[in-house]
Amino acid sequence: MWNSHTSRPTALDESLPEIELYESSKERKDYENKGDLYTIITATEHLERAYAQDAIPHNEYAIECNKLLSQFKIAEKAALGGGGVNKNNSTTTETFMRIYQMDCPRATHRLLVMGVPEPVKNADGPGGANVAANVAETVQHFITTMDAIKLGQMAVDDLQPLLSDLMNALIQLPDTPNDFGPNHKVQKWLEKLNAMRAVDVLDEDDGRQFYHDLDSAYTEFTRYLRAKT
């Protein structure tokens, strides 16, 4: 039984020195950057769970997911790219999630593997205006990505958003078979880039192979379009 002689919790002793998490503005910025990355991963996990439970329509899901995907690489580069106090930082996002005990399997799959929102096929018929717009958009994304490689833009944070846009356009096309070659070739490279850090750079051999695979995918894509007309 509690009585008046029982010790009561006391207020914090304000005379004790505060424990500072950082000693400089650079260290403070590092903590803020890691906080941003943590927030984006957590938000993606919640979004994926909501979509899986049919708590959000696909159009809203796709908008928010694309926003988080684009923010993720920026936050990853800022938090783990070694530009702060830890110049030689080589921490990956997977390591970051283990250190901070983040149990986010859906976010891991979306951010580090797929790199695009969960697709829903366009319901329009093959002659629909939306389909024609999707085809034109896909062609433009192919050309933009291949031009970037030609110009020597080999950094992951340059190429990943372009390839993500291309993959997003491809999966919106109706009537493409499940084993559609261009999709598999683009997805293979997207998964490779997603597994790398934003500050990483493709070497010359990977760059040549990347361009070759995209050129092959584009040729197959245009051949498929001609066969459909």
Side-chain angles (χ1 to χ4, degrees), residues 12 24 33 65 67 82 116 176 189 193 208:
L12 292 175
S24 67
N33 289 337
C65 190
K67 185 188 301 181
V116 291
T176 53
W189 277 100
L193 295 181
R208 291 181 66 179

Side-chain angles (χ1 to χ4, degrees), residues 15-59:
S15 66
L16 295 175
E18 293 184 0
I19 299 176
E20 296 287 349
L21 291 176
Y22 47 82
E23 296 180 354
S24 67
S25 60
K26 286 186 177 181
E27 287 187 358
R28 177 180 179 177
K29 190 65 176 178
D30 279 349
Y31 277 108
E32 290 176 349
N33 289 337
K34 288 176 181 177
D36 290 342
L37 180 60
Y38 188 100
T39 299
I40 289 170
I41 295 171
T42 303
T44 304
E45 181 71 15
H46 287 309
L47 179 66
E48 291 294 321
R49 286 180 182 273
Y51 182 64
Q53 296 167 3
D54 205 23
I56 181 174
H58 183 268
N59 61 331

Side-chain angles (χ1 to χ4, degrees), residues 140-152:
Q140 185 58 53
H141 287 314
F142 262 117
I143 293 172
T144 301
T145 308
M146 292 168 70
D147 282 349
I149 300 172
K150 276 185 178 180
L151 293 172

Side-chain angles (χ1 to χ4, degrees), residues 4-201:
S4 59
H5 298 292
T6 303
S7 60
R8 299 181 179 180
T10 59
L12 292 175
D13 187 348
E14 296 182 357
S15 66
L16 295 175
E18 293 184 0
I19 299 176
E20 296 287 349
L21 291 176
Y22 47 82
E23 296 180 354
S24 67
S25 60
K26 286 186 177 181
E27 287 187 358
R28 177 180 179 177
K29 190 65 176 178
D30 279 349
Y31 277 108
E32 290 176 349
N33 289 337
K34 288 176 181 177
D36 290 342
L37 180 60
Y38 188 100
T39 299
I40 289 170
I41 295 171
T42 303
T44 304
E45 181 71 15
H46 287 309
L47 179 66
E48 291 294 321
R49 286 180 182 273
Y51 182 64
Q53 296 167 3
D54 205 23
I56 181 174
H58 183 268
N59 61 331
E60 293 182 19
Y61 159 78
I63 291 171
E64 293 304 318
C65 190
N66 276 319
K67 185 188 301 181
L68 288 167
L69 285 164
S70 63
Q71 292 171 339
F72 168 67
K73 281 300 178 185
I74 297 173
E76 183 189 49
K77 182 177 181 180
L80 309 179
V85 294
N86 299 316
K87 298 296 184 182
N88 297 318
N89 183 18
S90 59
T91 303
T92 64
T93 298
E94 293 94 330
T95 303
F96 175 86
M97 293 175 70
R98 285 196 298 270
I99 291 173
Y100 293 99
Q101 301 179 358
M102 301 184 71
D103 183 21
C104 300
R106 291 175 173 84
T108 300
H109 180 72
R110 188 62 54 203
L111 297 172
L112 301 180
V113 179
M114 297 304 295
V116 291
E118 191 67 20
V120 169
K121 287 288 187 180
N122 195 316
D124 286 347
N130 284 350
V131 175
N134 286 343
V135 169
E137 183 180 359
T138 304
V139 169
Q140 185 58 53
H141 287 314
F142 262 117
I143 293 172
T144 301
T145 308
M146 292 168 70
D147 282 349
I149 300 172
K150 276 185 178 180
L151 293 172
Q153 297 178 18
M154 297 298 176
V156 171
D157 59 348
D158 286 333
L159 292 173
Q160 194 276 345
L162 300 178
L163 199 63
S164 179
D165 287 343
L166 172 57
M167 188 73 246
N168 212 14
L170 279 168
I171 60 180
Q172 297 303 318
L173 294 170
D175 301 328
T176 53
N178 292 332
D179 60 348
F180 193 42
N183 287 25
H184 288 289
K185 290 175 181 177
V186 172
Q187 184 64 49
K188 179 191 73 173
W189 277 100
L190 186 57
E191 291 180 9
K192 179 180 178 68
L193 295 181
N194 287 337
M196 300 171 70
R197 298 184 306 149
V199 294
D200 290 338
V201 178

